[in-house]
Amino acid sequence: MTRFAVALPYSDKIERRLHLAALVFLCLIPTFLLFARAAADISLVLVAVLFLVRSTLRRDWAWARQIDIAMLLLALLMLVAVVAPFGEYPGKNFSRGLIWVRFVVFYAAVTRWVLVDKAAIRAVCYATFAALLVGALDAFYQFITGYSLLGGQGMVANGNRLTGPLDRPNIGSYLSKLAFGVMALAFVAREQLGDKRLLTVGAGVMVPVLAVIFLSGERTASVLTLTGLVAVVIGLFISGGRARVLSIFLGAVGVAGIGFLLSASDRIAGRVAALGTVVSDYSDSVYGQLVLTGWRFFTENPLTGIGMSSFEKVCRAQQPPESLEFGCYPHPHNIYAEWLASSGLVGTLPWLVFVGLIIWAGVRLIRPGHQQTVLAALYLATVNLSLFPFAATQSAFSNWPAILTWMSIACAVAALNVFKRSDLADLKGIIPL
């Protein structure tokens, strides 16, 4: 048999090379998010571009018709074709809306192409675990010494919040959003792909990661992580068998650990007290005022909103910042208020349909007495960290938080798709809706 005869077909070679390149860039994103945000964005764009090249070569655009992606594409169309022309700053609105396409294609690439086999899942899990561990250990070092070993900066906000290697106090958000998504992948690798070691390694990494999240001083990240842990404990309990014993043990350890942290750290106790103050007087807090401002912009422009990335400009144009108690901010610190203010009903409704679809995909996976309920808990915890409606959040359209959000959600949806495909022999790999 000649060498030519045993060679792979050209299209298969291209497929393998494109997939490998996309996988490498995907694995780099968690580390780049810690040290080089521009590089993280470039990697995300390259994953999306490689997927488009692959789709063009194969003439395979079926993914664009699948319901969750179709809703995102519809939202994108509304942002560009309807919202932008009627926004306060059409040129800026159009450019910001147009570049949002990279997140839609990236989500499609990860969930339908890159994370579909054991080797890819292992690579992404180990790369993410390594980045999480580095970030957590550096932040813990900062907690002990007062400054970051890798970043060099000290704690911020009067010594109340950790940064780790980041240049801003968002290490808790970084760790929490990626942790649950990658654990969902590791769980699928154990249950469906026969790789038990991956979940064990992940469980070990989660110990310092969870500790740093609660030490970080980030109230939103800490509370949402706590709800995620509660969901996992409940999922283990519902699964029954030895998982139920594990859930009781983890629940007891968690309660004891949080109690110890609150009693031993005045800094953390103070952050909890501050959260209580904000919640008890939400409408008069800075977060409540920002959400109300976003709601006002929406009611003034209910169909198309004010346009993307226009929140601060419109605020300043309507009234001097000094006339407001908290001034004008770039966004309302709530993703739903931001969507409503920025895109009105025409952009927000497709987005809400997408949110509902991916939440329902996790909820319908819950089965008492079955291990898949644990996957459902990890999946819903991941989604909750980015999409909880009452959380004070970063902007849904800013690069760094958007990359983090789409990376975590894409990993969770990919885990669900692999599970359903393995469990039901569904070779289409579509989201279980």
Side-chain angles (χ1 to χ4, degrees):
M1 185 176 292
T2 65
R3 183 178 178 182
F4 177 80
V6 299
L8 291 173
Y10 181 75
S11 59
D12 287 348
K13 286 184 179 180
I14 294 295
E15 170 73 14
R16 290 173 184 241
R17 291 171 181 172
L18 290 175
H19 185 270
L20 178 60
L23 179 60
V24 170
F25 289 123
L26 182 62
C27 289
L28 290 173
I29 290 176
T31 299
F32 283 155
L33 284 171
L34 284 175
F35 302 105
R37 295 176 189 168
D41 204 358
I42 292 171
S43 294
L44 180 144
V45 170
L46 288 173
V47 172
V49 169
L50 288 168
F51 184 54
L52 292 178
V53 170
R54 184 251 189 189
S55 299
T56 301
L57 292 176
R58 293 173 60 92
R59 299 181 181 178
D60 179 9
W61 302 94
W63 54 270
R65 298 192 297 272
Q66 294 170 10
I67 184 63
D68 55 329
I69 299 173
M71 286 299 103
L72 290 177
L73 290 173
L74 179 59
L76 173 67
L77 177 63
M78 294 297 102
L79 291 174
V80 173
V82 180
V83 172
F86 295 98
E88 297 293 330
Y89 305 94
K92 184 177 183 179
N93 301 157
F94 178 81
S95 62
R96 291 294 296 178
L98 190 61
I99 63 176
W100 193 69
V101 69
R102 69 193 193 277
F103 298 118
V104 180
V105 181
F106 172 79
Y107 168 82
V110 174
T111 59
R112 270 57 176 193
W113 177 48
V114 182
L115 291 181
V116 296
D117 58 60
K118 182 177 179 178
I121 289 174
R122 280 173 55 87
V124 169
C125 282
Y126 279 124
T128 306
F129 286 148
L132 290 174
L133 187 60
V134 168
L137 292 180
D138 185 68
F140 189 74
Y141 181 87
Q142 185 184 42
F143 176 76
I144 299 297
T145 65
Y147 68 94
S148 164
L149 185 64
L150 297 176
Q153 64 275 5
M155 298 168 67
V156 300
N158 298 320
N160 285 328
R161 295 177 66 179
L162 301 174
T163 65
L166 301 172
D167 60 1
R168 60 175 70 182
N170 294 133
I171 190 64
S173 297
Y174 170 86
L175 296 174
S176 60
K177 288 188 177 182
L178 289 182
F180 286 99
V182 74
M183 286 299 287
L185 283 173
F187 183 85
V188 166
R190 179 185 186 275
E191 293 298 315
Q192 303 299 116
L193 306 178
D195 190 336
K196 297 182 179 180
R197 181 182 302 177
L198 202 57
L199 188 62
T200 302
V201 171
V205 171
M206 289 307 107
V207 175
V209 165
L210 292 174
V212 168
I213 291 171
F214 292 114
L215 290 172
S216 69
E218 292 180 55
R219 295 173 298 194
T220 298
S222 297
V223 171
L224 294 180
T225 297
L226 183 59
T227 62
L229 292 174
V230 170
V232 172
V233 169
I234 293 174
L236 288 167
F237 188 85
I238 294 176
S239 296
R242 288 183 295 178
R244 180 166 296 177
V245 177
L246 179 60
S247 73
I248 295 173
F249 171 75
L250 292 178
V253 170
V255 170
I258 292 173
F260 173 78
L261 185 63
L262 292 176
S263 62
S265 175
D266 292 337
R267 182 179 69 89
I268 299 302
R271 297 293 290 172
V272 173
L275 175 62
T277 301
V278 171
V279 172
S280 63
D281 196 18
Y282 182 75
S283 61
D284 290 328
S285 69
V286 59
Y287 300 110
Q289 290 296 310
L290 287 169
V291 169
L292 290 174
T293 301
W295 179 257
R296 176 166 58 83
F297 290 165
F298 164 66
T299 57
E300 293 171 355
N301 306 271
L303 291 180
T304 60
I306 59 175
M308 296 179 69
S309 302
S310 301
F311 189 85
E312 186 174 17
K313 284 189 174 183
V314 174
C315 176
R316 291 179 180 275
Q318 290 191 357
Q319 51 196 335
E322 56 271 15
S323 68
L324 299 173
E325 182 180 355
F326 300 107
C328 290
Y329 283 69
H331 58 91
H333 285 69
N334 178 280
I335 58 172
Y336 298 98
E338 185 175 19
W339 268 95
L340 285 170
S342 300
S343 65
L345 291 175
V346 296
T348 303
L349 288 179
W351 162 255
L352 290 179
V353 172
F354 167 77
V355 172
L357 288 170
I358 62 172
I359 291 175
W360 176 240
V363 171
R364 67 183 297 182
L365 198 66
I366 298 173
R367 294 287 188 278
H370 292 78
Q371 290 294 314
Q372 68 187 60
T373 303
V374 180
L375 174 59
L378 289 166
Y379 173 89
L380 292 172
T382 306
V383 172
N384 184 62
L385 275 156
S386 293
L387 302 178
F388 185 70
F390 304 111
T393 65
Q394 295 173 277
S395 173
F397 305 122
S398 294
N399 293 351
W400 189 86
I403 295 170
L404 185 59
T405 293
W406 286 107
M407 176 76 182
S408 62
I409 290 178
C411 285
V413 172
L416 213 62
N417 284 344
V418 171
F419 175 84
K420 295 299 291 185
R421 186 172 61 251
S422 300
D423 194 48
L424 302 177
D426 179 7
L427 298 179
K428 295 180 180 180
I430 61 173
I431 194 168
L433 299 171

